Amino acid sequence: MKFKLPFNKKQPPIANDPVKEDIGRITPSKIDFIQSIKDATHDPSDLIVKFIPPNITLIYINNLVKDQTLNDHIITILQNNPNETPEIIKNALSVPVVNISTQLEETVKSLVNGTILIHVDGYPQAILANIATRESRSLSAPENESQVIGAQVGFNESLSTNISLVRRYIVSPDLCNEELKVGKRTNTSISIIYMNGIASDQMINTLRQRITNLDLDALIDSAILAEMIDDNSLSPFPQMLLTERPDRFCAGILNGKLGVIVDGSSMAIICPQSFIEFFESQEDQNLRWLIATFVRLLRFSAILLSVFLTPIYVGALTFHYEVIPQAFLVPLSESRALVPFPPVFEALLLEFIIELLREAGARLPTKIGQTIGIVGGIVIGTAAVQAGITSNILLIFVALSALASFTTPSYMMGNVIRVTRFPIIILAGYWGFYGIMLAFCFILIHLLRLSSLGAPYLSPFYPPRLQDMRDSIIRLPFPINTKRPEITRPGDQDKFDSEPVKPDKS
């Protein structure tokens, strides 16, 4: 039998304890208020404390507030109202957001977000005047998702600027914007954006619950948030799209999808997202349907070429000579006559060199990176063939595979394709075409098990949805695509009237 000691028993909290209620409240004394703010912020060097005689104190953090607004709309008014109460001063300030708080914690959080604290000696409260300013770069064209036809502006790192870009495209009162805070230390602002009446309430609740349940110490970028709220964070395949294009973001919102914008990140999140949609570009909607279909078919063919071309070469040379055309055997044998390595090692070596050149070109400055990519590829490729390390035919296949991987509009999906080639090449070197089929079946089963915010990842092919197939691998004319995709379970399925407008011949 176990016994509990009496002094280990926790005493229940005393209701209406005056000591507990006073903790965290603003003191009426000017000296105590300044000291409490310094203690809460650890007295940083950019904390500014100003006194306006006879009894007003201003506290703010330098470089987080607008200096002109501070001088013209706060200090001038305070000098003209030196002996007034906090309520009168609040009403006299010509600042859009002004509040009065009695809680020290709320006051400190507002201070680090660019708020001016105004304390009147003798009153246990502070006036919070929000005149925050955030440094951000000007709007520019998207660098990772460029297109010829369409808008030439991309998101930047300012949350307010990005939301204004979205509202420029969607001028509707049904556009909803929910702001949340994530990160115990960074206190990062994020916005969930969706169309009321179109977006699924179940998906909205699911996304909101996943974000609010996060117990993060810090949130720096939207890519971290997307990985944290994925249905399967261990999968190499992204289940949410990261885009820097406002037009693509708004197109997804109008189709019933949900968008997430993170303050400090230039990439916005779109979900749910199917596997096929990662290979679609916003420019496909701006082209004529026949041209857009051709470009999409070319893009999907390039993806298959990038993933399976080198493994098929390795499997054919290692196990399946009979599939090689007879006219191709002589030049192939001549190109490999001086190569001492097996095809699988030769292919892995070239793929590794290609990835080294690509990574070096991405990390170096733009002008130097382009030079390294072009000159390095030519010099190393030519030297490798002449030294007998690799064959010229395999060099062509590897270069085509690398070139085809760049056709993917999504950078994150392009990285998955780059990594996927390596295990398929190894399986092709050990088991030939059987290894390639094993890898293909494994990837297919994995994709069938994936979901994006609860929606099937391989939609519209599994489960089959004929209506959504009109805008998948092919893009049929707009008068035929009158319905929103079923993957989003939209409340309003009709995008527009299917009956075309007949021209007036009078």
Side-chain angles (χ1 to χ4, degrees):
M1 182 178 292
K2 296 183 179 179
F3 298 93
K4 293 183 179 179
L5 296 177
F7 54 84
N8 286 337
K9 186 176 181 180
K10 295 182 179 180
Q11 298 294 332
I14 301 175
N16 300 325
D17 188 354
V19 178
K20 293 290 184 181
E21 290 181 357
D22 288 341
I23 294 178
R25 290 186 175 273
I26 295 175
T27 60
S29 172
K30 175 176 64 176
I31 303 300
D32 294 340
F33 175 72
I34 295 174
Q35 188 61 41
S36 62
I37 294 296
K38 288 184 177 181
D39 293 342
T41 58
H42 307 285
D43 196 10
S45 59
D46 53 354
L47 184 68
I48 307 299
V49 179
K50 288 186 177 182
F51 301 99
I52 298 180
N55 57 358
I56 297 179
T57 304
L58 265 70
I59 302 179
Y60 61 93
I61 295 179
N62 195 20
N63 298 324
L64 287 186
V65 299
K66 299 177 182 178
D67 294 334
Q68 184 176 0
T69 305
L70 173 64
N71 296 326
D72 298 343
H73 300 279
I74 292 183
I75 294 180
T76 303
I77 294 177
L78 293 178
Q79 290 174 345
N80 296 330
N81 301 272
N83 296 313
E84 301 295 346
T85 64
E87 287 289 343
I88 296 177
I89 293 176
K90 173 192 172 184
N91 296 328
L93 293 177
S94 58
V95 178
V97 181
V98 183
N99 298 310
I100 293 181
S101 176
T102 59
Q103 300 296 323
L104 182 62
E105 182 180 0
E106 179 187 0
T107 303
V108 173
K109 287 184 178 180
S110 301
L111 174 66
V112 296
N113 280 313
T115 297
I116 293 282
L117 307 184
I118 305 173
H119 182 265
V120 181
D121 193 17
Y123 293 89
Q125 51 192 221
I127 304 172
L128 312 180
N130 188 354
I131 56 171
T133 180
R134 295 293 178 90
E135 297 295 332
S136 62
R137 61 185 175 93
S138 59
L139 296 177
S140 59
E143 296 182 2
N144 299 322
E145 296 179 82
S146 59
Q147 64 183 26
V148 179
I149 302 177
Q152 301 297 328
V153 64
F155 288 128
N156 64 7
E157 289 76 18
S158 173
L159 178 63
S160 58
T161 303
N162 294 339
I163 294 177
S164 67
L165 286 175
V166 175
R167 290 196 176 276
R168 183 193 303 177
Y169 281 92
I170 306 177
V171 186
S172 171
D174 293 330
L175 182 65
C176 298
N177 176 21
E178 296 184 13
E179 185 172 345
L180 302 174
K181 298 287 186 179
V182 177
K184 292 181 292 185
R185 296 191 181 275
T186 58
N187 202 26
T188 306
S189 299
I190 67 172
S191 290
I192 303 176
I193 300 178
Y194 58 90
M195 290 295 294
N196 185 31
I198 298 179
S200 169
D201 293 336
Q202 181 181 357
M203 288 188 174
I204 296 172
N205 295 331
T206 301
L207 180 62
R208 187 189 299 117
Q209 181 180 5
R210 290 185 184 181
I211 295 177
T212 53
N213 289 343
L214 290 177
D215 188 13
L216 293 178
D217 190 61
L219 178 63
I220 303 299
D221 194 77
S222 56
I224 301 174
L225 178 64
E227 186 175 350
M228 294 294 295
I229 62 178
D230 271 344
D231 291 28
N232 186 357
S233 298
L234 299 179
S235 174
F237 292 91
Q239 293 117 60
M240 297 185 180
L241 178 66
L242 294 176
T243 180
E244 58 180 347
R245 300 198 61 89
D247 53 349
R248 187 173 190 178
F249 182 85
C250 294
I253 298 298
L254 292 173
N255 279 330
K257 297 185 179 183
L258 311 181
V260 180
I261 302 178
V262 179
D263 191 17
S265 175
S266 61
M267 305 292 288
I269 303 173
I270 304 176
C271 58
Q273 193 78 1
S274 67
F275 177 74
I276 298 297
E277 290 175 325
F278 281 96
F279 304 99
E280 299 175 0
S281 173
Q282 183 60 30
E283 192 175 16
D284 298 343
Q285 307 297 325
N286 302 329
L287 299 173
R288 303 291 293 181
W289 72 272
L290 192 59
I291 306 301
T293 300
F294 170 76
V295 172
R296 285 189 181 180
L297 292 175
L298 180 65
R299 197 177 295 142
F300 284 108
S301 301
I303 301 306
L304 295 176
L305 190 71
S306 175
V307 175
F308 294 108
L309 181 61
T310 306
I312 289 175
Y313 172 86
V314 172
L317 283 183
T318 308
F319 296 100
H320 309 283
Y321 294 100
E322 64 277 3
V323 302
I324 303 176
Q326 186 175 4
F328 194 61
L329 283 173
V330 175
L332 186 61
S333 59
E334 290 179 352
S335 66
R336 285 194 47 82
L338 300 176
V339 179
F341 306 114
V344 59
F345 180 82
E346 180 188 3
L348 290 175
L349 179 62
L350 276 182
E351 290 284 355
F352 182 72
I353 293 175
I354 289 291
E355 294 303 325
L356 278 181
L357 290 173
R358 190 191 324 226
E359 191 66 18
R363 298 293 168 257
L364 289 173
T366 305
K367 296 181 180 179
I368 303 177
Q370 294 176 353
T371 305
I372 290 293
I374 298 174
V375 177
I378 295 175
V379 172
I380 294 177
T382 304
V385 172
Q386 293 180 353
I389 298 178
T390 181
S391 62
N392 50 10
I393 295 180
L394 178 60
L395 184 63
I396 295 174
F397 287 164
V398 171
L400 283 176
S401 299
L403 183 64
S405 65
F406 288 111
T407 60
T408 308
S410 173
Y411 177 76
M412 300 192 70
M413 184 59 73
N415 291 335
V416 175
I417 293 174
R418 291 165 53 186
V419 175
T420 305
R421 285 203 301 266
F422 286 92
I424 299 179
I425 291 174
I426 294 174
L427 290 176
Y430 278 99
W431 295 317
F433 290 170
Y434 299 104
I436 297 176
M437 289 304 301
L438 177 64
F440 176 76
C441 293
F442 178 81
I443 294 174
L444 182 60
I445 293 173
H446 178 68
L447 294 177
L448 289 172
R449 292 171 57 88
L450 282 181
S451 61
S452 175
L453 209 64
Y457 196 57
L458 282 186
S459 179
F461 300 102
Y462 179 82
R465 291 166 176 166
L466 298 179
Q467 177 67 35
D468 292 352
M469 291 183 186
R470 299 178 181 181
D471 190 11
S472 56
I473 296 181
I474 61 174
R475 187 184 79 77
L476 295 182
F478 285 121
I480 300 178
N481 296 322
T482 61
K483 303 290 184 180
R484 291 186 172 89
E486 296 182 14
I487 185 176
T488 60
R489 299 195 290 272
D492 183 10
Q493 294 186 350
D494 295 324
K495 291 192 291 186
F496 52 86
D497 189 5
S498 59
E499 293 294 332
V501 178
K502 296 182 180 180
D504 188 6
K505 297 182 180 181
S506 59

